[in-house]
C-alpha cells in the first residue's frame, strides 16, 4: 500500500472525534428527503484531486448532505458547484458541476482537502476536532511536493495554513501574522525543506456567502485565476 492509500484508509477509518462520527452516522441514517433513496457515505472524507497538483485548496469540512453523502470533497451541493465551476473556468477542472464520486470529474493541477474530514453539526467543528484532523492535513502537504499556491477557503482554513507554516518554519511567518481576507496574499513555507508558496484567501462558497452577495462568481473567479496564473 502506497503513502496515499495508507493516508486515505486512515482518514476513512478515523474515529478520533465521537461527536462528529455520531453526527455523520445519524445524518446518513435519517437522510434528507431529496436523497432518501441514496446510500450516504457517512464517514470521514479524504482529499480529492491531482497528486501532482500545484494548487492546493483547503476548505472547512464536508457538508452534511454534500460530501458526507457523496464521499468526495465539495461534491453534491451548491458550494461544490460554485467551486468546481470556478475551477473549470480557470482551467483546473474537467467540468464545472460536481454531483457524485463517479461523475467523471477530474482536476488538472489542483487538489482539494479540508481542515476537518467529518461533517460537523451547524458546520462548526470545535478547536479540538480541528486539532485531531491536523495530522492528516500535515501529511497531505508533505505528499504534495509540487504545490506552489494554497487557496484557503474561509478564515478557519486560513488559520490552519498559517499554523502549519508556523510549525514548519516559524521564521517564514511574518509578524503580525497574515490576516484572512478575500484575495489576501501571503508567502509562507508549508512543507519541510520546501520553498515558500503563495497563500490566497477566499471567502468560502457557502450559501451564507453566495446567497447574500458577500461572495460573487466574479470574486471567486478572480482568486482561482490568480491561483492558476501563479
Amino acid at each position: 500500500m502506497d503513502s496515499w492509500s495508507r493516508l486515505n484508509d486512515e482518514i476513512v477509518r478515523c474515529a478520533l472525534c465521537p461527536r462528529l462520527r455520531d453526527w455523520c452516522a445519524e445524518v446518513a441514517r435519517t437522510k434528507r428527503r431529496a436523497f432518501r433513496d441514496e446510500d450516504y457515505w457517512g464517514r470521514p472524507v479524504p482529499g480529492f484531486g491531482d497528486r501532482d497538483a500545484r494548487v492546493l485548496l483547503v476548505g472547512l469540512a464536508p457538508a452534511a448532505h454534500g460530501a458526507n453523502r457523496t464521499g468526495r470533497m465539495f461534491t453534491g451541493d451548491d458550494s461544490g458547484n460554485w467551486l468546481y465551476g470556478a475551477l473549470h473556468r480557470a482551467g483546473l477542472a474537467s467540468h464545472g458541476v460536481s454531483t457524485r464520486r463517479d461523475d467523471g470529474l477530474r482536476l488538472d493541477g489542483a487538489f482539494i482537502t479540508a481542515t476537518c474530514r467529518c461533517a460537523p453539526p451547524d458546520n462548526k467543528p470545535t478547536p479540538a476536532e480541528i486539532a485531531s484532523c491536523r495530522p492528516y492535513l500535515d501529511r497531505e502537504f508533505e505528499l504534495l511536493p509540487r504545490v506552489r499556491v494554497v487557496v484557503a477557503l474561509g478564515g478557519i482554513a486560513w488559520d490552519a495554513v498559517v499554523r502549519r507554516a508556523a510549525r514548519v518554519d516559524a521564521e517564514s511567518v511574518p509578524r503580525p501574522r497574515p490576516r484572512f481576507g478575500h484575495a489576501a496574499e501571503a508567502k509562507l513555507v508549508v512543507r519541510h525543506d520546501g520553498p515558500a508558496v503563495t497563500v490566497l484567501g477566499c471567502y468560502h462558497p457557502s450559501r451564507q456567502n453566495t446567497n447574500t452577495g458577500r461572495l460573487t462568481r466574479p470574486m471567486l473567479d478572480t482568486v482561482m485565476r490568480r491561483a492558476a496564473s501563479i
Side-chain angles (χ1 to χ4, degrees), residues 95-111:
H95 51 274
V97 178
S98 176
T99 57
R100 60 186 189 275
R101 289 199 308 282
D102 60 352
D103 61 7
L105 176 72
R106 301 182 316 279
L107 296 184
D108 182 13
F111 190 92

Side-chain angles (χ1 to χ4, degrees), residues 41-136:
W41 174 261
R43 291 170 283 169
V45 181
F48 163 68
D50 185 349
R51 294 176 184 179
D52 288 324
R54 292 181 179 270
V55 179
L56 173 63
L57 299 103
V58 183
L60 171 58
H65 301 282
N68 184 58
R69 172 173 60 88
T70 64
R72 189 174 74 189
M73 289 290 179
F74 280 96
T75 295
D77 59 16
D78 288 342
S79 293
N81 289 335
W82 272 69
L83 179 61
Y84 286 112
L87 290 172
H88 178 61
R89 291 188 291 274
L92 297 170
S94 60
H95 51 274
V97 178
S98 176
T99 57
R100 60 186 189 275
R101 289 199 308 282
D102 60 352
D103 61 7
L105 176 72
R106 301 182 316 279
L107 296 184
D108 182 13
F111 190 92
I112 301 177
T113 188
T115 58
C116 187
R117 307 313 170 105
C118 292
D122 301 319
N123 292 320
K124 294 179 180 178
T126 67
E129 289 163 348
I130 292 173
S132 292
C133 261
R134 186 176 299 147
Y136 299 136

Side-chain angles (χ1 to χ4, degrees), residues 1-224:
M1 185 181 291
D2 64 17
S3 297
W4 276 110
S5 296
R6 284 195 299 272
L7 172 58
N8 290 341
D9 184 62
E10 288 178 33
I11 290 172
V12 171
R13 292 188 294 106
C14 183
L16 291 174
C17 302
R19 183 184 82 109
L20 299 186
R21 296 304 309 116
D22 290 346
W23 171 252
C24 290
E26 176 64 14
V27 170
R29 185 184 66 81
T30 58
K31 305 181 182 181
R32 178 174 285 174
R33 180 173 294 180
F35 309 123
R36 63 182 179 275
D37 295 328
E38 295 189 22
D39 292 328
Y40 274 54
W41 174 261
R43 291 170 283 169
V45 181
F48 163 68
D50 185 349
R51 294 176 184 179
D52 288 324
R54 292 181 179 270
V55 179
L56 173 63
L57 299 103
V58 183
L60 171 58
H65 301 282
N68 184 58
R69 172 173 60 88
T70 64
R72 189 174 74 189
M73 289 290 179
F74 280 96
T75 295
D77 59 16
D78 288 342
S79 293
N81 289 335
W82 272 69
L83 179 61
Y84 286 112
L87 290 172
H88 178 61
R89 291 188 291 274
L92 297 170
S94 60
H95 51 274
V97 178
S98 176
T99 57
R100 60 186 189 275
R101 289 199 308 282
D102 60 352
D103 61 7
L105 176 72
R106 301 182 316 279
L107 296 184
D108 182 13
F111 190 92
I112 301 177
T113 188
T115 58
C116 187
R117 307 313 170 105
C118 292
D122 301 319
N123 292 320
K124 294 179 180 178
T126 67
E129 289 163 348
I130 292 173
S132 292
C133 261
R134 186 176 299 147
Y136 299 136
L137 183 60
D138 286 342
R139 287 164 65 185
E140 285 174 334
F141 272 110
E142 296 299 328
L143 288 171
L144 293 165
R146 301 189 69 194
V147 164
R148 295 297 178 266
V149 185
V150 179
V151 179
L153 299 168
I156 290 177
W158 177 274
D159 290 344
V161 175
V162 173
R163 289 193 181 103
R164 163 71 183 176
R167 294 193 303 277
V168 170
D169 185 351
E171 293 184 0
S172 80
V173 182
R175 290 182 172 77
R177 285 190 174 189
R179 297 183 63 181
F180 173 74
H182 188 77
E185 291 196 22
K187 280 282 193 177
L188 300 171
V189 176
V190 295
R191 184 174 180 271
H192 289 95
D193 300 320
V197 304
T198 301
V199 181
L200 301 177
C202 181
Y203 290 146
H204 192 286
S206 64
R207 284 186 175 181
Q208 181 180 352
N209 289 331
T210 59
N211 286 353
T212 60
R214 188 181 191 214
L215 178 66
T216 64
R217 283 190 171 86
M219 290 170 65
L220 186 56
D221 285 344
T222 295
V223 173
M224 296 308 159

